[in-house]
């Protein structure tokens, strides 16, 4: 994980593997988000360096630590709530596959730009027989229109970038190598928003989802 800045816009590269939510990954991203806010950044773009934006939950760790399942899900919920209400403008540069909780992480951002020609956005829960937690469902429902909720949550469909944009799951698409720059440019005009005001607005907008996530 690597945090850099383009002018005053923070760019957080999640890594070049599957970027699953191991406890170590959760610690790193939580710390990076704190650094972004403390730095006075004018925005945050999350991106990745490989074929995955994020493949979501670390199911191997969860299987080996089943007695800590509630703690783990609580940590994931806390991350999603934190991104959802971060007091700076946020954009996910979905440069590769975003599955499950990785797709939820993207949804928690204010904006999403996805690669047009490669990668899938997918909530596979219906096919892997893992129902959404109430918090995760509330997060998605806070961000997507009802038709897009049904299309994505009940089908397990893998959306390419163009289809995801048509469904309103992502805001726009870009070509290879252009996704992260495009996400940065989405945030550039939003520089200088007061963090206290923006944070309060997001907390009000998404209060029910944050409460469902345990925040």
């Amino acid at each position: 994980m690597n945090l850099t800045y383009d002018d005053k816009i923070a760019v957080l590269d999640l890594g070049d593997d599957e970027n699953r939510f191991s406890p170590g990954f959760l610690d790193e991203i939580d710390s990076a988000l704190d650094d972004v806010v403390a730095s006075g950044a004018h925005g945050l773009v999350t991106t990745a360096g490989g074929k995955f934006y994020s493949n979501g939950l670390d199911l191997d760790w969860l299987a080996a630590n089943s007695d800590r399942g509630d703690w783990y899900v609580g940590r994931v919920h806390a991350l999603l709530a934190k991104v959802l209400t971060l007091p700076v403008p946020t954009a996910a540069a979905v440069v590769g596959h975003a599955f499950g909780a990785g797709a939820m992480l993207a949804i928690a951002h204010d904006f999403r730009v996805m690669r047009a020609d490669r990668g899938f956005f997918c909530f596979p829960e219906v096919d892997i027989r893992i129902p959404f937690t109430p918090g995760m469902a509330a997060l998605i429902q806070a961000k997507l229109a009802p038709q897009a909720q049904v299309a994505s949550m009940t089908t397990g469909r893998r959306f390419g970038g163009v289809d995801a944009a048509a469904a309103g799951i992502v805001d726009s698409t870009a070509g290879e190598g252009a996704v992260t720059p495009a996400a940065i440019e989405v945030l550039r005009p939003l520089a200088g928003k007061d963090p206290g005001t923006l944070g309060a607005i997001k907390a009000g907008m998404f209060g029910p989802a944050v409460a469902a996530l345990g925040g």
Side-chain angles (χ1 to χ4, degrees), residues 2 25 31 57-58 75 85 95 98 105 121-122 134 138 146 154 159 174 196 208:
N2 185 42
F25 179 96
S31 178
L57 300 183
D58 189 339
R75 286 291 310 277
T85 58
V95 294
L105 176 61
F121 189 105
C122 178
T154 69
F159 289 84

Side-chain angles (χ1 to χ4, degrees), residues 100 104 107 123 125 132 135-145 148-149 152-153 209:
M104 293 173 207
I107 285 288
F123 297 126
E125 281 75 6
F132 295 94
M136 291 174 175
L139 165 67
I140 299 166
Q141 290 173 298
K143 286 302 192 84
L144 298 185
Q149 293 170 32
S152 61
M153 296 175 73

